[in-house]
């Protein structure tokens, strides 16, 4: 199908507003330092999920604590409604917006996860989700665990960056462009671009286990966080319904392969994902009813991707189990 996208009808993602970096090389006012910062995420959010996975794979848990906002929020921002007294136990705040306003009392832009908060001052340092995981790989290298994989190998960075840009535009953000479109033409354009890109990615992954090289990289992480939410949220809630993920054989096997890899499936809480999308977006789902399905046990079924070879962690090793307090409910 063809469609002409109207700017008035199209969803446009707001840019992040707090883009300072935490660096080890003295290039910013925020130095990498063990125990200084707290990573604030939400299990529901794909952008935050990227940081949770990279933090796990690189073994940064001992030096970078993690606060988890609940799946529900309102105009006051993400809130810590799953914690005792509805407050983050380290920062002592009820709403993430409090940390943004600690950095800027007049802050009125998007209050988003992931966010890095300096614990002592309680202020947000950065919410630059696109840069955060790259900095975990580079700037935080001194704190990587023994056996940490190279998720952003120098030799493949140009290829990873190119794929990341395509995946962001058409898939990561594409499902939102379809779901929040205000007109038929904008929706149909986003829908077409999404599935055209998924078809191209399926072709690429039909003969190779991972997107770039023979190991898991940043590119796989960025694609996977959208795929894992596809059937639970985007297929129905965002009208991305040409096919379910489970009806796209290559991408479904690829997604299950990673789900069953340490550091991926053990970061996913499907109930919180559904509670967020169906419970917060009142303009799309005014009843707030959260669907009972889909069946999740098939995420543990054999995928057969080992036949394509590849070394998931390269010369590294899998991460250990999640820290106490960070485990998610098992599937099945």
């Amino acid at each position: 199908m063809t469609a002409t996208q109207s700017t008035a009808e199209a969803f446009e993602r707001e840019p992040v507003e707090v883009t300072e970096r935490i660096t080890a090389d003295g290039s910013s006012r925020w130095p990498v330092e063990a125990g200084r910062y707290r990573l604030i995420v939400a299990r529901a959010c794909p952008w935050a999920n990227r940081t949770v996975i990279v933090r796990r794979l690189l073994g940064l848990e001992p030096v970078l604590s993690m606060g988890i906002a609940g799946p529900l929020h309102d105009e006051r921002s993400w809130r810590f409604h799953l914690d005792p007294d509805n407050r983050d136990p380290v920062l002592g705040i009820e709403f993430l917006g409090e940390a943004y306003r600690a950095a800027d009392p007049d802050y009125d832009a998007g209050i988003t996860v992931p966010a890095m908060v300096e614990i002592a001052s309680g202020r947000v340092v950065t919410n630059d989700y696109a840069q955060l995981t790259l900095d975990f790989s580079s700037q935080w290298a001194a704190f990587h665990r023994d056996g940490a994989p190279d998720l952003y190998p120098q030799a493949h960075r140009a290829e990873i960056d190119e794929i990341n840009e395509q995946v962001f535009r058409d898939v990561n953000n594409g499902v939102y462009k379809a779901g929040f479109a205000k007109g038929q033409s904008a929706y149909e354009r986003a829908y077409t671009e999404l599935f055209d890109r998924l078809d191209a990615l399926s072709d690429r992954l039909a003969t190779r286990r991972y997107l770039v090289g023979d190991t898991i990289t940043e590119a796989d992480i960025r694609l996977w966080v959208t795929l894992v939410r596809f059937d639970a949220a985007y297929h129905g809630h965002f009208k991305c319904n040409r096919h379910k993920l489970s009806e796209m054989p290559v991408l479904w096997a690829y997604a299950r392969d990673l789900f069953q890899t340490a550091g991926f499936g053990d970061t996913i809480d499907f109930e919180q994902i559904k509670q967020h999308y169906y419970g917060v977006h009142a303009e799309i789902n005014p009843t707030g009813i959260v669907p009972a399905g889909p069946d999740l046990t098939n995420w543990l079924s054999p995928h057969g991707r080992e036949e394509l070879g590849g070394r998931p962690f390269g010369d590294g090793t899998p991460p250990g189990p999640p820290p106490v307090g960070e485990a998610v409910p098992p599937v099945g």
Side-chain angles (χ1 to χ4, degrees), residues 230-253:
F230 203 90
D231 288 3
Y234 306 141
H235 177 270
H237 186 57
F238 279 175
K239 306 179 185 68
C240 299
N241 61 355
R242 191 193 77 179
H243 292 102
K244 296 177 182 177
L245 175 66
S246 58
E247 296 168 343
M248 294 182 273
V250 172
L251 293 178
W252 174 225

Side-chain angles (χ1 to χ4, degrees), residues 1-329:
M1 71 185 71
T2 59
T4 301
Q5 187 175 33
S6 163
T7 301
E9 295 178 344
F11 167 76
E12 295 184 6
R13 182 168 296 280
E14 293 183 5
V16 294
E17 297 290 338
V18 190
T19 56
E20 293 193 75
R21 293 175 61 194
I22 299 170
T23 62
D25 58 9
S27 60
S28 78
R29 61 173 174 153
W30 301 104
V32 168
E33 186 178 320
R36 180 167 179 171
Y37 308 98
R38 186 161 173 83
L39 173 64
I40 302 300
V41 302
R43 294 289 188 193
C45 174
W47 318 98
N49 196 181
R50 289 159 35 162
T51 63
V52 179
I53 293 169
V54 174
R55 173 178 172 269
R56 283 268 293 121
L57 296 183
L58 299 180
L60 294 175
E61 297 102 325
V63 300
L64 178 61
S65 70
M66 187 170 77
I68 304 173
L72 302 177
H73 61 71
D74 55 28
E75 69 279 357
R76 293 171 292 181
S77 79
W78 292 93
R79 56 193 178 97
F80 298 95
H81 62 91
L82 301 180
D83 287 311
D85 300 322
N86 297 312
R87 294 184 177 275
D88 178 83
V90 172
L91 301 175
I93 58 176
E94 184 178 1
F95 294 93
L96 180 55
E98 297 173 53
Y100 278 80
R101 286 184 288 276
D104 177 3
D106 299 319
Y107 186 85
D108 61 358
I111 297 171
T112 60
V113 289
M116 291 280 274
V117 178
E118 185 186 39
I119 294 172
S121 65
R123 60 181 294 176
V124 166
V125 173
T126 180
N127 68 346
D128 192 348
Y129 61 88
Q131 187 62 45
L132 262 178
T133 51
L134 301 181
D135 283 346
F136 284 176
S137 284
S138 59
Q139 302 301 315
W140 290 77
F143 294 106
H144 288 181
R145 65 178 175 86
D146 292 339
D150 187 354
L151 302 175
Y152 195 47
Q154 187 69 47
H156 294 297
R157 287 186 181 181
E159 188 177 7
I160 292 171
D161 291 345
E162 180 182 9
I163 291 174
N164 284 349
E165 192 279 328
Q166 296 167 350
V167 167
F168 170 81
R169 182 188 64 231
D170 298 333
V171 181
N172 299 148
N173 202 41
V175 294
Y176 285 85
K177 289 190 291 185
F180 288 115
K182 300 300 184 184
Q184 189 70 33
S185 61
Y187 160 72
E188 290 187 8
R189 176 169 178 170
Y191 175 102
T192 300
E193 291 171 347
L194 166 66
F195 282 102
D196 283 351
R197 181 62 58 194
L198 290 178
D199 287 344
L201 290 164
S202 180
D203 289 343
R204 181 181 183 91
L205 288 164
T207 56
R208 56 194 303 160
R209 192 170 179 186
Y210 305 112
L211 284 170
V212 180
D214 67 347
T215 65
I216 293 167
T217 68
E218 181 84 18
D220 297 294
I221 295 165
R222 295 192 183 200
L223 172 60
W224 186 81
V225 295
T226 296
L227 295 183
V228 77
R229 289 163 172 77
F230 203 90
D231 288 3
Y234 306 141
H235 177 270
H237 186 57
F238 279 175
K239 306 179 185 68
C240 299
N241 61 355
R242 191 193 77 179
H243 292 102
K244 296 177 182 177
L245 175 66
S246 58
E247 296 168 343
M248 294 182 273
V250 172
L251 293 178
W252 174 225
Y254 167 79
R256 296 201 316 280
D257 185 5
L258 289 174
F259 185 88
Q260 296 169 31
T261 298
F264 285 82
D266 56 26
T267 70
I268 297 298
D269 187 318
F270 282 108
E271 284 305 308
Q272 289 194 33
I273 288 169
K274 292 192 297 181
Q275 288 167 4
H276 170 70
Y277 283 98
Y278 289 94
V280 169
H281 302 151
E283 69 274 34
I284 299 176
N285 185 41
T287 66
I289 294 173
V290 178
D295 176 31
L296 302 174
T297 57
N298 54 5
W299 277 99
L300 302 178
S301 63
H303 51 75
R305 298 280 294 177
E306 305 94 335
E307 297 178 3
L308 295 173
R311 303 174 301 143
F313 301 102
D315 295 328
T317 58
V324 174
E326 294 185 11
V328 298

